[in-house]
Amino acid sequence: MSLVLYGFPLSANTHRVRLLLSMLSIPYEERTVNLMTGEHHQPAFLALNPLAQVPVLVDGDRTLFDSQAILVYLAESRAAAQWWPGDAYERARVAQWLFVNANEINNGIGYARNHISFRIPGDPAIPLARAKAVLAVLDQRLSEHDWLELGRPTLADIACSTLVSVADEAGLDRGTWPAVQRWHQRLAALPGFVPMPRLKARQG
Ligand SMILES: N[C@@H](CCC(=O)N[C@@H](CS)C(=O)NCC(=O)O)C(=O)O
């Protein structure tokens, strides 16, 4: 079966799928959907995702949207139990963090980054407050644990790491959360790790 990831280079939601594909050494083709020119609103892409969002994963005749759902699908279909365990309680503990990413982290760091770095109109104050609150929770947890759950890297770490790694693009000083930084360094040392692409203006 051929695997195709529809994404955008600066999309954090695309990156976390790219990261898992790379860590699992799964061959795939990435096709860029140009969000800047509105390609995601064209009928061809809407047929893949009526929400007009990347990422979308096409696996043969199967089509999926939402990065969290795609992570789960890849880990389950490739029998990657290290990342997404078979035990119900363990799996739910990992799942907690997928939802933290989709809610607190995305509505915090993600929206603040949109306002500050992509200049999407809106007041960044509320997302910034949310971002600081969730980063404090992550920092507390990661000051006591190497990984978010189960004592090993799981989908929880993949899901939560992407936006956290570019928190400075949301106007936040990443040094404020040292345990989070050390955790990200541990993740970056794992085989197959690929970093989240940086906004050009902030490179170097
Ligand atoms: N819950 C979705 C969110 C996807 C999403 O918001 N993607 C952004 C790019 S990072 C997008 O396509 N935005 C286009 C738009 O909203 O116009 C996921 O986790 O994949």
Side-chain angles (χ1 to χ4, degrees):
M1 263 192 195
S2 64
L3 207 56
V4 181
L5 174 64
Y6 291 83
F8 186 71
L10 292 174
S11 153
N13 293 301
T14 302
H15 173 261
R16 72 180 60 86
V17 176
R18 197 185 293 130
L19 177 56
L20 184 66
L21 285 163
S22 177
M23 285 184 149
L24 295 181
S25 302
I26 300 173
Y28 70 101
E29 176 197 344
E30 184 161 341
R31 294 189 195 157
T32 297
V33 179
N34 194 336
L35 301 184
M36 300 305 176
T37 60
E39 194 183 344
H40 52 312
H41 291 289
Q42 296 302 314
F45 185 74
L46 291 173
L48 298 175
N49 183 1
L51 295 173
Q53 294 172 341
V54 292
V56 165
L57 186 80
V58 176
D59 185 7
D61 59 1
R62 303 169 176 181
T63 303
L64 283 169
F65 61 80
D66 190 276
S67 59
Q68 284 71 220
I70 295 170
L71 293 184
V72 168
Y73 171 73
L74 285 171
E76 286 209 11
S77 63
R78 269 64 184 179
Q82 178 205 340
W83 297 92
W84 182 245
D87 174 79
Y89 177 50
E90 288 192 349
R91 197 165 57 237
R93 284 168 59 195
V94 172
Q96 294 172 136
W97 297 101
L98 304 193
F99 293 104
V100 168
N101 179 64
N103 291 289
E104 285 79 4
I105 295 178
N106 186 55
N107 294 336
I109 302 174
Y111 275 74
R113 178 171 173 260
N114 285 347
H115 292 316
I116 289 169
S117 284
F118 291 99
R119 298 194 167 80
I120 292 175
D123 183 356
I126 291 174
L128 275 174
R130 289 189 181 127
K132 289 175 186 168
V134 74
L135 280 162
V137 169
L138 291 173
D139 204 62
Q140 171 61 36
R141 177 144 191 95
L142 293 164
S143 67
E144 294 165 358
H145 303 272
D146 279 352
W147 305 102
L148 286 170
E149 288 294 340
L150 311 183
R152 64 173 195 266
T154 67
L155 291 193
D157 305 283
I158 299 260
C160 293
S161 66
T162 291
L163 275 169
V164 164
S165 75
V166 291
D168 55 313
E169 293 178 356
L172 296 159
D173 177 359
R174 292 170 59 215
T176 310
W177 301 281
V180 170
Q181 276 196 304
R182 288 194 296 274
W183 162 71
H184 195 263
Q185 285 160 3
R186 283 192 288 280
L187 191 70
L190 295 179
F193 177 84
V194 285
M196 168 73 192
R198 309 286 303 175
L199 289 167
K200 277 200 172 61
R202 291 175 183 267
Q203 276 175 346

